[in-house]
């Protein structure tokens, strides 16, 4: 049975990342804002305030979650590119989704934020070398990981 929490399937890491695979991940990141806008086009407030699945966040919360999550990822890339194996901070995304702004704010500012963020992020990603993608960060729960891993997660996350 398909798990409705993962409409495109759970994230599966690729071990041997090729330059072509990196480009595909970057393409997915680049397309996320436009695909999100298309997916929610024409929804009214009642629809935005409806959970997308039983026990899940509302569509509004999901829209606000994307820039929250992707801002964290962008900062993690910047830290890793400028520091030696930086320790990154986790955040309680489920609690962020319950904050007043995530539950009630208009979606337009988050759509604009996501679009602007992705312009900068994709510019950064396209400038990176093979060695840059191999730079590592220290995740408090998952240990030391290369940026290639983060790239894959976010190539998946926007589609998810």
């Amino acid at each position: 049975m398909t798990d409705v929490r993962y409409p495109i399937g759970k994230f599966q890491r690729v071990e041997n990342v090729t330059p072509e695979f990196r480009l595909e991940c970057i393409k997915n990141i680049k397309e996320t804002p436009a695909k999100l806008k298309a997916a929610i086009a024409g929804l009214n407030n009642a629809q935005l305030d409806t959970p997308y699945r039983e026990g899940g966040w509302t569509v509004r919360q999901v829209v606000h979650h994307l820039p929250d999550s992707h801002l964290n990822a962008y900062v993690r890339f910047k830290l890793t590119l400028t520091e030696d194996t930086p320790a990154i901070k986790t955040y309680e995304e489920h609690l962020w989704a319950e904050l007043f702004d995530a539950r009630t704010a208009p979606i337009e500012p988050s759509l604009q934020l996501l679009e602007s963020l992705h312009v900068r992020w994709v510019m950064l990603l396209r400038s990176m070398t093979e060695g840059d993608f191999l730079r590592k960060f220290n995740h408090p729960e998952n240990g030391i990981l290369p940026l290639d891993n983060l790239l894959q997660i976010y190539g998946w996350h926007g589609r998810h």
Side-chain angles (χ1 to χ4, degrees):
M1 180 177 172
T2 303
D3 188 336
V4 295
R5 294 175 300 169
Y6 304 99
I8 64 165
K10 286 187 178 184
F11 170 72
Q12 301 214 350
R13 185 176 55 163
V14 172
E15 292 297 328
N16 298 314
V17 178
T18 64
E20 294 78 21
F21 183 71
R22 283 188 191 110
L23 289 174
E24 183 66 24
C25 291
I26 293 169
K27 176 180 171 273
N28 290 338
I29 290 169
K30 181 182 186 296
E31 293 174 348
T32 294
K35 287 187 174 184
L36 177 62
K37 276 186 177 181
I40 62 169
L43 296 183
N44 61 38
N45 279 327
Q47 291 168 315
L48 289 171
D49 293 329
T50 300
Y52 76 96
R53 66 171 173 84
E54 187 177 324
W57 292 341
T58 66
V59 175
R60 185 182 309 276
Q61 287 171 300
V62 172
V63 170
H64 293 312
H65 165 71
L66 280 163
D68 288 347
S69 175
H70 293 198
L71 273 167
N72 274 285
Y74 178 69
V75 169
R76 290 172 179 180
F77 268 89
K78 296 280 228 173
L79 289 170
T80 305
L81 289 169
T82 59
E83 299 176 18
D84 292 328
T85 318
I88 60 161
K89 185 169 181 350
T90 61
Y91 73 104
E92 300 294 334
E93 65 181 34
H94 66 285
L95 296 177
W96 286 37
E98 293 302 324
L99 292 172
F100 182 78
D101 66 319
R103 290 183 292 103
T104 65
I107 60 171
E108 288 75 18
S110 283
L111 293 172
Q112 292 168 352
L113 177 58
L114 188 69
E115 186 172 16
S116 296
L117 170 64
H118 278 237
V119 168
R120 288 279 309 275
W121 192 10
V122 169
M123 186 182 302
L124 176 68
L125 293 171
R126 287 179 174 164
S127 75
M128 290 172 60
T129 66
E130 169 111 9
D132 290 336
F133 283 105
L134 299 177
R135 291 183 63 93
K136 296 181 182 344
F137 61 93
N138 189 356
H139 189 285
E141 296 168 356
N142 301 319
I144 296 177
L145 299 168
L147 284 176
D148 262 336
N149 193 54
L150 201 56
L151 177 70
Q152 290 180 56
I153 290 169
Y154 282 89
W156 169 85
H157 187 260
R159 292 174 35 245
H160 160 69

